[in-house]
Amino acid sequence: MSMIASLCLYFLLSASSVSAARDMSPAELDKWFEQNDIIATDEVSEGELRFITQKPDKPILHSLNKLVIYPSSLDDGWVSLFQCYQNLDPVAASEVVYQYKAMRDLEIVSYKNIGAAQIQGQSIQLTEVKKAAELCVSARVRIFYSNPDGSYSLINGPFHRKFLDGYFPYHLTLEVEYPANKLRLKQTIPAEQPGFSVEQGISKILLDGIFEGILNVELIFQHK
């Protein structure tokens, strides 16, 4: 999967990138540092995945994702995506670039504390992003795959938030609905552990965690 980099700020989210404007002045960059949760360089993750068991004092980027697997998904691989970003970084301009290999019907559902949001292809251009900004979108993505052993995998990621060479705290909430009469959950990767919870209902799975580094999520289902 290719990644899209900007010259100044580079935030990678769920199969998407959020980049601040490339022409930020030194004063604007200093202001961004002051109002953000950037920490000392020697404390920054270099990419290794590390779950955080204690919630940071300052608000951090939170991505709330809902994926719906339909009976038809077992044949065509398409699922529904509803995603909200909370606590986006305040910048004059930024963009959300989706990097799914197969994506359609991208729509902006709502936005808050953002001057304007506009779809351009598989990207959303944002201007006047203020503190506590939120953006919600919906789409269809093909990320449900059949495996040689007869199982199925829902693969989502990578989730990460990057500034230059460091990775910073990221809060992920992922809810997955699936047809319980056709599928049963076999395994989650990563497995449940301190800082990463996995709650399973009759036809729903909820994963939640705060982490630094790069997180890929795979849910493996067995056909009933």
Side-chain angles (χ1 to χ4, degrees), residues 72-83:
S72 60
S73 304
L74 279 69
D75 297 318
D76 60 26
W78 287 94
V79 303
S80 290
L81 165 70
F82 181 78
Q83 183 177 50

Side-chain angles (χ1 to χ4, degrees), residues 2-154:
S2 62
M3 298 303 177
I4 298 175
S6 74
L7 297 179
C8 282
L9 306 181
Y10 184 36
F11 301 119
L12 289 181
L13 307 178
S14 160
S16 67
S17 68
V18 177
S19 303
R22 302 184 181 193
D23 57 353
M24 291 178 70
S25 67
E28 289 173 325
L29 196 54
D30 286 342
K31 183 178 179 181
W32 182 86
F33 268 102
E34 291 174 359
Q35 63 195 0
N36 220 291
D37 60 340
I38 299 302
I39 55 179
T41 304
D42 58 356
E43 299 177 14
V44 173
S45 168
E46 295 182 352
E48 70 280 6
L49 177 62
R50 180 173 65 230
F51 288 106
I52 300 172
T53 56
Q54 185 174 354
K55 190 174 181 179
D57 294 333
K58 293 183 179 181
I60 62 172
L61 182 67
H62 189 183
S63 177
L64 299 98
N65 306 264
K66 181 177 181 179
L67 297 170
V68 180
I69 302 170
Y70 302 97
S72 60
S73 304
L74 279 69
D75 297 318
D76 60 26
W78 287 94
V79 303
S80 290
L81 165 70
F82 181 78
Q83 183 177 50
C84 285
Y85 299 113
Q86 296 180 345
N87 299 319
L88 285 165
D89 296 284
V91 289
S94 63
E95 61 180 350
V96 179
V97 182
Y98 285 92
Q99 301 174 42
Y100 291 105
K101 292 181 180 179
M103 182 181 196
R104 64 192 186 199
D105 302 331
L106 176 62
E107 293 184 5
I108 298 172
V109 176
S110 65
Y111 58 90
K112 175 183 176 182
N113 294 331
I114 298 173
Q118 183 177 6
I119 294 176
Q120 292 186 5
Q122 282 195 186
S123 73
I124 301 176
Q125 307 299 313
L126 307 176
T127 57
E128 298 179 14
V129 183
K130 301 178 177 61
K131 187 176 181 180
E134 298 181 7
L135 170 69
C136 295
V137 303
S138 64
R140 297 269 289 176
V141 292
R142 191 163 62 192
I143 56 173
F144 192 67
Y145 306 94
S146 59
N147 299 318
D149 64 357
S151 65
Y152 295 86
S153 287
L154 180 72

